């Protein structure tokens, strides 16, 4: 018998079902407005030398591009193969035998998986009724690592800035704040705050607002000491050369493009949310991500199948703690949003 970890069988594999028959896939919250123009040009101009050589060990051009507008040092930024790579590496960097990780429930589904893979015990803490994280309950766990996601995935709800800062102040160990959807909200941007503290890492991604999900780029901001530990745990060459080039180009040249796309995204998200609020048996949450989240009074899989029969892919959730069945539908440009709205009455008939 192959000598595998005995607990590996109990850790779920992340493997979404392919939807080959769908022409509009709104499951993954990617940027359907396109790719930043400078990033696309950077990839198209990639040379043989760029592709045949190893990339920089720690994506120095990218970390400098992240650090400069924040007014922090490049050694306070760690890049990775998506922000989930950075989160995974941070857990690995700080976890000790018998450590625990507290997280809101529901939240980003990979967090308890990353915890278990790093031999850390996850502790799920229900969201408050308003969708914010229960900071007091998270602190009460005395967990060595506390993961916070705001806007939260999959609900889109935010936790107030003051509550997050209090979490930083009172946490017994490390706080991981996931701001993957930070470009779509004005509620908080705590990257500079994290750089001034020893116990906080704030992560962001290029997979959502920045339209570079296929290149897998993300980063974390924190103290130089914490970033150095995460970098060591992450390993080298986690950001490929083309991805670093594209992400750095987007940051330095396409900021206005991304801000305009984020503005349009919020308009279309809110338009879809308003249309769904009129449906019976549907409770739309106050999402500040690039998606609509709605609790249902019927099986979510059945509703998702009805969308699928009309060529539209949506994310179905079954039995979420404190919520039940729910749907998450990514925001899309006007024509695509019109298509979803037009299907609502038939889907929910």
């Amino acid at each position: 018998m192959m000598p595998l970890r005995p607990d590996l069988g109990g850790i779920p594999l992340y493997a979404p079902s392919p939807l080959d028959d769908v022409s509009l896939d709104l499951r993954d919250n990617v940027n359907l407005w396109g790719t930043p123009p400078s990033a696309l040009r950077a990839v198209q101009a990639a040379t043989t030398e760029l592709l045949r050589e190893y990339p920089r060990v720690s994506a120095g051009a990218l970390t400098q591009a992240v650090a400069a507008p924040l007014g922090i040092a490049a050694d306070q930024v760690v890049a990775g193969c998506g922000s989930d790579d950075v989160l995974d590496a941070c857990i690995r960097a700080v976890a000790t035998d018998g450590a625990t990780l507290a997280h809101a429930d529901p939240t980003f589904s990979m967090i308890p998986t990353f915890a278990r893979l790093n031999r850390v015990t996850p502790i799920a803490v229900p969201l408050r009724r308003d969708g914010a994280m229960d900071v007091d309950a998270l602190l009460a766990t005395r967990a060595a690592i506390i993961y916070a996601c705001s806007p939260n995935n999959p609900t889109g709800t935010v936790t107030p800035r003051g509550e997050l800062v209090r979490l930083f102040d009172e946490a017994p160990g490390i706080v991981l704040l996931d701001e993957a959807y930070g470009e779509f909200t004005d509620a908080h941007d705590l990257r500079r705050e994290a750089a001034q503290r020893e116990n906080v890492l704030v992560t962001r991604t290029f997979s959502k607002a920045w339209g570079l999900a296929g290149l897998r780029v993300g980063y974390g901001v924190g103290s130089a000491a914490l970033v150095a530990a995460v970098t060591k745990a992450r390993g080298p060459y986690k950001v490929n050369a083309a991805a670093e080039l594209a992400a750095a180009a987007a940051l330095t040249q396409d900021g206005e493009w991304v801000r305009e796309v984020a503005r349009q995204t919020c308009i279309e998200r809110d338009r879809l949310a308003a249309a769904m609020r009129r449906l019976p048996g549907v409770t739309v949450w106050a999402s500040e991500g690039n998606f609509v989240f709605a609790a249902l009074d019927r099986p979510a899989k059945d509703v998702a199948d009805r969308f699928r029969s009309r060529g539209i892919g949506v994310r179905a959730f079954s039995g979420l703690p404190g919520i039940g069945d729910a749907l998450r539908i990514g925001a899309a440009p006007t024509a695509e949003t019109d298509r979803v709205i037009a299907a609502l009455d038939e889907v929910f008939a």
Side-chain angles (χ1 to χ4, degrees):
M1 180 178 293
M2 188 179 297
L4 299 176
R5 277 176 54 175
D7 64 336
L8 198 60
I11 298 176
L13 173 68
Y14 185 82
S17 301
L19 297 183
D20 297 332
D21 53 344
V22 159
S23 57
L24 177 58
D25 193 345
L26 302 177
R27 295 177 301 165
D28 292 328
N29 308 332
V30 296
N31 185 342
L32 295 184
W33 278 259
T35 296
S38 297
L40 183 58
R41 288 195 295 270
V43 173
Q44 291 171 335
T47 63
T48 298
E49 289 76 19
L50 182 78
L51 300 182
R52 78 181 181 195
E53 304 292 340
Y54 281 106
R56 294 177 178 87
V57 170
S58 291
L62 176 56
T63 57
Q64 290 172 14
V66 171
L70 294 175
I72 62 176
D75 66 359
Q76 293 179 290
V77 181
V78 53
C81 183
S83 58
D84 52 350
D85 181 36
V86 178
L87 292 166
D88 181 31
C90 188
I91 295 170
R92 188 159 52 253
V94 303
T96 56
D97 290 344
T100 55
L101 180 153
H103 63 86
D105 192 18
T107 196
F108 178 37
S109 63
M110 286 302 298
I111 291 303
T113 297
F114 288 150
R116 293 187 181 100
L117 287 172
N118 288 295
R119 291 186 164 85
V120 173
T121 301
I123 302 174
V125 175
L127 291 169
R128 296 188 333 201
R129 292 180 64 85
D130 63 0
M133 286 173 288
D134 189 335
V135 169
D136 288 326
L138 288 168
L139 291 169
T141 66
R142 306 303 296 169
I145 307 166
I146 297 177
Y147 169 83
C149 185
S150 181
N152 186 44
N153 177 14
T155 60
T157 47
V158 298
T159 298
R161 186 185 192 282
E163 282 292 276
L164 292 171
V165 172
R166 183 166 72 87
L167 180 63
F168 298 168
D169 288 338
E170 300 179 20
I174 297 294
V175 177
L176 286 172
L177 174 59
D178 186 344
E179 288 187 339
Y181 299 94
E183 287 82 4
F184 304 105
T185 180
D186 295 325
H188 55 77
D189 177 351
L190 289 164
R191 290 174 293 177
R192 289 187 181 91
E193 181 79 20
Q196 299 170 11
R197 294 173 176 265
E198 295 298 317
N199 69 323
V200 179
L201 190 75
V202 173
T203 60
R204 290 218 173 184
T205 182
F206 286 89
S207 296
K208 307 304 180 185
W210 293 87
L212 297 174
L215 291 180
R216 306 300 301 125
V217 195
Y219 64 89
V221 175
S223 69
L226 180 55
V227 162
V230 175
T231 301
K232 183 182 293 186
R234 178 209 60 193
Y237 307 128
K238 287 301 188 75
V239 180
N240 71 67
E244 180 186 1
L245 201 65
L251 275 173
T252 55
Q253 301 173 54
D254 290 321
E256 186 54 42
W257 184 93
V258 170
R259 284 187 288 273
E260 176 57 22
V261 165
R263 187 186 71 82
Q264 294 178 30
T265 300
C266 293
I267 290 172
E268 297 303 323
R269 174 201 67 201
D270 294 346
R271 193 161 70 89
L272 176 58
M276 293 184 68
R277 285 193 180 95
R278 64 178 173 78
L279 298 168
V282 176
T283 303
V284 177
W285 287 46
S287 171
E288 295 192 34
N290 64 338
F291 54 86
V292 174
F293 179 82
L296 309 179
D297 67 350
R298 66 199 76 186
K301 184 181 182 303
D302 292 349
V303 178
D305 286 343
R306 286 173 172 253
F307 271 114
R308 181 174 180 174
S309 70
R310 290 158 178 80
I312 301 170
V314 301
R315 183 78 73 187
F317 297 90
S318 299
L320 292 176
I323 298 171
D325 279 27
L327 287 184
R328 192 188 68 195
I329 306 176
T334 301
E336 287 78 7
T337 304
D338 288 342
R339 179 178 167 187
V340 177
I341 291 174
L344 290 178
D345 286 334
E346 292 182 358
V347 166
F348 285 94

